[in-house]
Amino acid sequence: MLVVCDVDGTLVDGQKRLTGATIAAVARLRAAGIRFTIISARPMSGMMPLAEQLALDLPMGAFNGGLIFRRDAGVAEHHTIAPEVARGVFDLIGDAAVDRWVFADDRWYGSTDRGVHVAHERLASAQNMIVRDTFDDLLDHADKITFVSDDAVLLATLAEKVKPFAMRATIVQSQTYYLDITALPANKGAGIAALAQAIGVPLKHTVAIGDQANDLAMFERAGRSIAMGNATGVVKGRANDVTTGNDADGVAHAIDNLILGRMM
């Protein structure tokens, strides 16, 4: 069996930290012979510290699976946004009042380094933003483009505006205030399939744990799905089980009660 776990809002708490209870639960899971790995919208730089803390030696998925890598063996698979899609998305967004982030070459570039979401992303990506006025030279090899706004209506409007590219890119909200564009294969459905294949576990023997809309694609492919207690109603409704929230050691609860507990 293989457990594939989302990171933000799931594996880590609201302060972006791994708790002792979660680390211990993952160790119990592995001691029982069940493999564990992570997949996230984060870049590789933001996943490596967690991989070190958990001593993960299996392939992991950054950028929702667009980049499959191992802690000690480099990148195995890498999908970037098609250049014409990246440029087209920026053209459609135009001068909308949103912050713009571009992830490329394992670096984080942005239009401004102000705001609470910048502080959170600094923790999540484990690096500082490089502020730029233009991103043209990055758009031929971008891993992820994120438009950032707390205006839910505006972000929903922009999601509709970029829908012409939905058949050529993955367009999804990784958080209510982030609209992410990644390569078409860079979605958690394809990601969990790639991880399962790389690790040698049939998809029907996988368990996916997550909390946001971008986790639904892996819920659809996994043998079993577990939503976090802090997940949206839609995500909970599409899961087989619901655990406690990420600030209440929800992953540890899922491991001990919904996975290991059902094997006894």
Side-chain angles (χ1 to χ4, degrees):
M1 184 184 293
L2 169 68
V3 175
V4 180
C5 189
D6 170 52
V7 173
D8 294 291
T10 302
L11 182 69
V12 297
D13 65 15
Q15 302 302 310
K16 308 290 186 184
R17 298 174 303 197
L18 271 174
T19 68
T22 296
I23 294 171
V26 171
R28 287 192 293 276
L29 187 76
R30 294 166 67 184
I34 299 174
R35 284 166 278 192
F36 179 90
T37 193
I38 54 179
I39 188 168
S40 176
R42 289 186 180 198
M44 185 167 61
S45 62
M47 298 177 70
M48 283 297 240
L50 303 176
E52 294 288 344
Q53 286 182 268
L54 294 169
L56 297 184
D57 56 4
L58 296 178
M60 295 167 272
F63 300 120
N64 294 330
L67 193 151
I68 304 297
F69 70 101
R70 296 183 70 134
R71 180 166 60 104
D72 57 355
V75 174
E77 190 173 322
H78 192 185
H79 303 279
T80 57
I81 307 168
E84 63 274 18
V85 172
R87 289 183 164 76
V89 164
F90 264 85
D91 288 342
L92 286 177
I93 295 298
D95 60 358
V98 291
D99 295 338
R100 293 151 170 79
W101 298 349
V102 176
F103 296 82
D105 306 317
D106 206 33
R107 302 302 300 271
W108 168 36
Y109 302 89
S111 56
T112 176
D113 60 0
R114 304 291 180 86
V116 65
H117 300 308
V118 170
H120 290 164
E121 185 61 28
R122 190 177 293 119
L123 291 174
S125 64
Q127 60 176 287
N128 291 317
M129 174 194 286
I130 301 170
V131 179
R132 298 181 59 159
D133 293 325
T134 180
F135 307 98
D136 289 348
D137 61 314
L138 303 173
L139 299 184
D140 63 349
H141 63 288
D143 287 292
K144 182 174 71 167
I145 296 168
T146 301
F147 298 105
V148 185
S149 175
D150 286 313
D151 185 334
V153 174
L154 173 60
L155 217 55
T157 299
L158 295 181
E160 284 295 319
K161 185 172 281 192
V162 299
K163 266 192 174 179
F165 292 105
M167 298 300 292
R168 302 171 65 193
T170 298
I171 303 170
V172 70
Q173 288 185 250
S174 59
Q175 300 291 338
T176 56
Y177 37 81
Y178 292 160
L179 176 61
D180 290 343
I181 293 89
T182 51
L184 190 60
N187 68 81
K188 289 189 178 179
I192 194 173
L195 290 171
Q197 182 176 24
I199 295 167
V201 175
L203 268 174
K204 65 181 179 180
H205 293 153
T206 61
V207 179
I209 309 177
D211 74 307
Q212 287 291 334
N214 65 335
D215 295 312
L216 292 175
M218 70 171 175
F219 281 15
E220 292 172 0
R221 302 290 299 274
R224 186 171 157 218
S225 55
I226 301 174
M228 298 298 291
N230 51 286
T232 64
V234 171
V235 173
K236 289 179 181 177
R238 299 271 288 275
N240 299 120
D241 294 289
V242 178
T243 184
T244 54
N246 67 317
D247 278 327
D249 293 315
V251 169
H253 180 272
I255 288 171
D256 289 334
N257 297 279
L258 302 178
I259 300 174
L260 294 178
R262 294 189 180 177
M263 297 173 62
M264 297 177 180

